[in-house]
Amino acid sequence: MLVATLVPATKAGMQPKINAFNAQLPGVVKQRRDKGRHVRLIDMSAVTAADLANPAHPNDNGYRKMADAFLDGIIQAAEDGWITKTVNGSGKRCTGDGGPRDGWQSLGVVATGVRGPGGNVMWADYNGDGRDDYLLVADDGSVRAWANQGDKKWAALNWDGQGRIATGVGASGGSVRFADINGDRRADYLVVGANGSARARLNATGSRPGTADGKSWADIGEIFPGRGGQAAFADIDSDGRAEYVRIDDNGAVSAWLNKAREDITNRKPFWVPLSDLFPSGKASGGQVRMPDISGDGRADYVAMGENGSARAWVNIPPRADAPPKSAPKPTWRERGQFNPWVGTNGNQIRFAEINGDRRADYLQIHENGTVQAFVNTPDSPASLIGSTGASSCPADSPARSASPTSTATAATTTCESDPRAPSTPSSTPRGRTASPAGSNIATGPTASPKVPANGSGSPT
């Protein structure tokens, strides 16, 4: 193990902390070496303030100096006999809870963030490019944004500061949500009342949906009356419009499907009730998330554990020949734990679609605001559990009431009668939803950390 001292910084207040940290390292390393551990101290003093690209990070020359220091340490470790041949493994898949699971690509820290007084960090695709953006909602409901400029392969990572994109509307920042309620791929600005009612301001422009006066948001008034419980927004049926979802304290879920009106001049949603969407007893209401983990455009049911683990029930679409204008329910296939366990507080875990591949990724928001990400790749357990072609049973079939299924290995949903071809996931762009710190569900504000700024004011 090579342990490096920290490079200098010119950011206000940081250098004294760096000096204190570096002063303790030699003793920490010696303590372990005295026990026979293969630990070596790497001195980064060759990097000076002249080698910084911004107040906290080196430029290319600074990174070259860091690389040289690490290389010297590796060469010395080899000369000391610390580097040996690899040991052949057993060929068996690891099953423990330590570390990321197969198929989840760790990106490390993707944002060191921005500070804002009383700000709640949210994730939502406000500009319609398929990637969730970094939003900071202030106590007065005003919003600043950093556009996500990443790509599916993460060849580059960049956050483009947009400044203030929305002003407040007289509601507290904790009541603000973002969800695409009209299917145009851009997240709209929603305010949820204490009784669960919802008002909406439609996202009226493309690349920058807000200015200092907030006139690029079209206020359409109340779109849903209060129904109690926790108000959430998630696309249940993959039509590109977010449904209104109520989550009870016992984890049960009811929904009102968001249907387009024949009168296109009426911009308010038409709601079709879908009661008893998901049963109680799987999680408490505060543990429930509804991201699209399988990438089929349908929100799945996820129960978060206290240690950051996540169990999923995948949303299987209703039968393809369901009567029009009806509200057939999906079935739910239990998957069990699917995520990279990171041993952290489950309240710090959020889901957001950060690389544009339609699958919700797993984010850990640290107390100091640093954001770590695990990308949900095509080979991850989460991606392999959706889009299997299974469909739900008719309402009069006994198998229809067995939702969610009791096993995680079932490949299809079995009906006693009326076999039929699998339904095909909709190709309609899904509705995008967001909540505090990007959980993709509007469950009210959590103790979301305020994210520290770097020199440019960007979350990177």
Side-chain angles (χ1 to χ4, degrees):
M1 178 181 290
L2 304 181
V3 183
T5 60
L6 297 179
V7 299
T10 58
K11 185 176 180 179
M14 185 177 286
Q15 191 59 45
K17 297 177 182 179
I18 292 175
N19 294 339
F21 180 88
N22 288 345
Q24 295 185 51
L25 277 189
V28 172
V29 171
K30 183 179 184 302
Q31 184 182 43
R32 285 157 176 75
R33 286 178 65 98
D34 290 346
K35 295 179 180 180
R37 305 288 176 83
H38 292 174
V39 183
R40 181 178 300 280
L41 182 67
I42 304 299
D43 185 2
M44 292 293 174
S45 60
V47 182
T48 69
D51 299 312
L52 299 181
N54 60 48
H57 300 88
N59 57 25
D60 287 349
N61 191 53
Y63 282 121
R64 289 189 190 96
K65 291 181 178 181
M66 293 178 67
D68 288 341
F70 274 119
L71 178 59
D72 289 342
I74 293 172
I75 293 173
Q76 187 60 54
E79 292 176 349
D80 291 344
W82 289 4
I83 300 176
T84 60
K85 291 183 178 179
T86 57
V87 178
N88 291 330
S90 65
K92 296 180 180 179
R93 181 185 297 270
C94 296
T95 58
D97 280 337
R101 301 289 179 90
D102 290 346
W104 289 90
Q105 178 187 353
S106 175
L107 299 183
V109 175
V110 297
T112 56
V114 295
R115 286 194 183 274
N120 288 311
V121 177
M122 299 189 185
W123 305 83
D125 182 9
Y126 81 89
N127 58 4
D129 65 357
R131 297 183 296 267
D132 283 341
D133 306 300
Y134 185 106
L135 309 179
L136 190 70
V137 182
D139 284 344
D140 64 358
S142 62
V143 183
R144 290 191 293 153
W146 286 259
N148 183 346
Q149 301 296 308
D151 56 36
K152 293 181 181 180
K153 296 182 179 179
W154 283 96
L157 177 62
N158 181 39
W159 300 91
D160 184 15
Q162 303 293 297
R164 186 167 66 169
I165 63 167
T167 59
V169 291
S172 68
S175 64
V176 174
R177 309 288 185 269
F178 286 90
D180 180 8
I181 63 169
N182 60 354
D184 66 356
R185 303 175 67 94
R186 299 190 299 268
D188 304 304
Y189 182 108
L190 310 176
V191 175
V192 176
N195 64 348
S197 62
R199 296 178 56 88
R201 300 170 72 197
L202 298 181
N203 186 339
T205 60
S207 61
R208 183 169 179 171
T211 59
D213 58 12
K215 291 183 178 179
S216 55
W217 300 88
D219 192 342
I220 61 172
E222 183 175 275
I223 60 171
F224 196 89
R227 287 291 187 270
Q230 300 179 42
F233 299 90
D235 189 357
I236 301 297
D237 55 5
S238 189
D239 65 354
R241 296 182 295 270
E243 273 68 57
Y244 182 99
V245 178
R246 188 190 71 197
I247 303 173
D248 295 329
D249 290 341
N250 60 10
V253 175
S254 297
W256 286 259
L257 298 183
N258 182 349
K259 298 297 183 181
R261 293 180 179 271
E262 294 182 1
D263 179 7
I264 61 174
T265 63
N266 188 340
R267 293 182 291 179
K268 294 186 178 182
F270 174 75
W271 304 103
V272 177
L274 193 64
S275 61
D276 302 324
L277 180 66
F278 192 92
S280 63
K282 304 302 179 182
S284 66
Q287 294 176 306
V288 177
R289 309 284 187 270
M290 296 194 72
D292 176 14
I293 59 174
S294 57
D296 63 357
R298 295 175 173 84
D300 305 303
Y301 185 102
V302 173
M304 295 300 305
E306 292 182 357
N307 63 352
S309 61
R311 294 181 298 129
W313 285 261
V314 178
N315 181 344
I316 304 301
R319 50 185 292 175
D321 58 347
K325 298 185 178 181
S326 67
K329 299 177 183 178
T331 53
W332 303 89
R333 178 176 303 132
E334 185 175 0
R335 172 60 179 84
Q337 184 176 332
F338 69 90
N339 69 306
W341 182 85
V342 293
T344 189
N345 187 329
N347 290 329
Q348 294 181 323
I349 302 303
R350 300 293 182 265
F351 293 90
E353 215 293 65
I354 59 175
N355 66 340
D357 64 359
R358 295 174 60 89
R359 294 181 293 270
D361 305 304
Y362 179 100
L363 307 181
Q364 180 182 6
I365 317 295
H366 293 274
E367 291 183 1
N368 65 356
T370 301
V371 181
Q372 288 182 276
F374 295 86
V375 169
N376 184 353
T377 74
D379 297 324
S380 76
S383 295
L384 298 176
I385 60 180
S387 302
T388 57
S391 55
S392 64
C393 300
D396 57 353
S397 168
R400 180 66 183 83
S401 62
S403 171
T405 59
S406 59
T407 62
T409 56
T412 60
T413 302
T414 303
C415 306
E416 289 190 358
S417 61
D418 191 25
R420 58 200 174 278
S423 62
T424 303
S426 170
S427 60
T428 304
R430 60 178 176 152
R432 307 300 303 282
T433 63
S435 72
S439 64
N440 279 356
I441 185 167
T443 57
T446 60
S448 303
K450 302 172 187 65
V451 187
N454 62 18
S456 63
S458 160
T460 58

